[in-house]
Amino acid sequence: MSKRLLRDIQSIKEDQDWKFTVTPSESDISQLRATFEGPSNSPYDGGVFVVDISVPNEYPLKPPKVKFETRLFHPNVSSQTGAICLDILKNAWTPVYTIKSILISLQQLLDSPNPSDPQDAEVAAVYLKDRNQFDITAAQWTRQYAQPAATGPKIDQASLDRFASMGFPPEQVAPVMEKLGLERVEDDDQVNRVVEALLQ
């Protein structure tokens, strides 16, 4: 799995046309956090959407588990849990698909919802009964939940508390940790890196 997954990640980093990003967890390469832009001329235009991807050991024979971290108003995405109804993540999966294939499919799903096979029945009902109201609500959610500034790494609160006890306020620590690519500090070396950056 790891060689194939590393190739997938490298392919996304080298291909700037799609403007995708993918970041493995520091402690587990099979846990990914990816982003993509909302399709142009859609209610999701201008948004940046974050998905969590959990890659099984059997990949690519089995599909990853994928869910939206960003809240969005869409018939095929749960507005509560971020669960996704997409055939290639289930019975239509084949080993030729890649992480990039998944992100492309998700972007296309935002552009072309499938209300006849919904993940969120209430949203699908709005889509079918009042498309204009659906577009308005989806655009509102995009502005509220999917703005680029909100897509940086989520900084672990316990890590912020640790630095607060050392006299460093969270609003000062968080941007430094983001710059260093750290969502949390797990050992003394990481703590020292952050402290050194704070004192510069």
Side-chain angles (χ1 to χ4, degrees):
M1 180 265 285
S2 58
K3 287 185 178 179
R4 164 64 187 271
L5 182 55
L6 287 171
R7 287 201 304 270
D8 281 8
I9 294 171
Q10 189 61 33
S11 172
I12 291 171
K13 290 183 176 180
E14 291 175 354
D15 185 352
Q16 299 301 312
D17 292 341
W18 289 98
K19 298 182 180 178
F20 297 150
T21 71
V22 61
T23 306
S25 165
E26 287 191 344
S27 58
D28 186 354
I29 191 176
S30 69
Q31 303 300 312
L32 309 175
R33 189 170 186 267
T35 70
F36 63 90
E37 296 182 357
S40 300
N41 302 313
S42 78
Y44 310 100
D45 193 359
V48 176
F49 296 86
V50 182
V51 290
D52 292 324
I53 303 173
S54 180
V55 184
N57 290 331
E58 299 86 352
Y59 179 81
L61 299 178
K62 289 187 177 180
K65 294 181 179 179
V66 185
K67 70 173 185 175
F68 274 93
E69 183 178 309
T70 305
R71 290 191 69 188
L72 70 160
F73 194 75
H74 190 285
N76 305 110
V77 180
S78 169
S79 57
Q80 301 301 315
T81 67
I84 303 164
C85 183
L86 181 64
D87 57 356
I88 72 162
L89 296 177
K90 298 177 182 176
N91 55 347
W93 174 264
T94 75
V96 300
Y97 288 125
T98 64
I99 302 299
K100 186 194 293 185
S101 303
I102 293 171
L103 296 177
I104 291 172
S105 295
L106 290 176
Q107 196 174 51
Q108 292 172 342
L109 184 68
L110 295 198
D111 202 28
S112 302
N114 179 15
S116 62
D117 185 22
Q119 179 72 38
D120 195 310
E122 292 183 9
V123 177
V126 175
Y127 184 92
L128 292 170
K129 292 178 182 177
D130 190 341
R131 180 63 185 274
N132 185 57
Q133 182 58 50
F134 168 84
D135 287 346
I136 291 172
T137 305
Q140 287 174 340
W141 281 42
T142 298
R143 289 192 298 272
Q144 183 172 354
Y145 299 114
Q147 292 312 294
T151 61
K154 294 189 300 184
I155 305 301
D156 175 58
Q157 186 59 47
S159 298
L160 293 176
D161 292 343
R162 183 172 181 176
F163 288 108
S165 69
M166 299 165 64
F168 297 107
E171 61 270 18
Q172 185 179 353
V173 175
V176 170
M177 289 182 63
E178 287 187 17
K179 187 175 181 180
L180 294 173
L182 297 173
E183 295 185 12
R184 64 184 61 82
V185 289
E186 298 175 337
D187 55 45
D188 290 341
D189 287 341
Q190 291 178 337
V191 171
N192 291 336
R193 284 174 59 199
V194 175
V195 171
E196 287 175 6
L198 286 165
L199 295 176
Q200 285 180 355

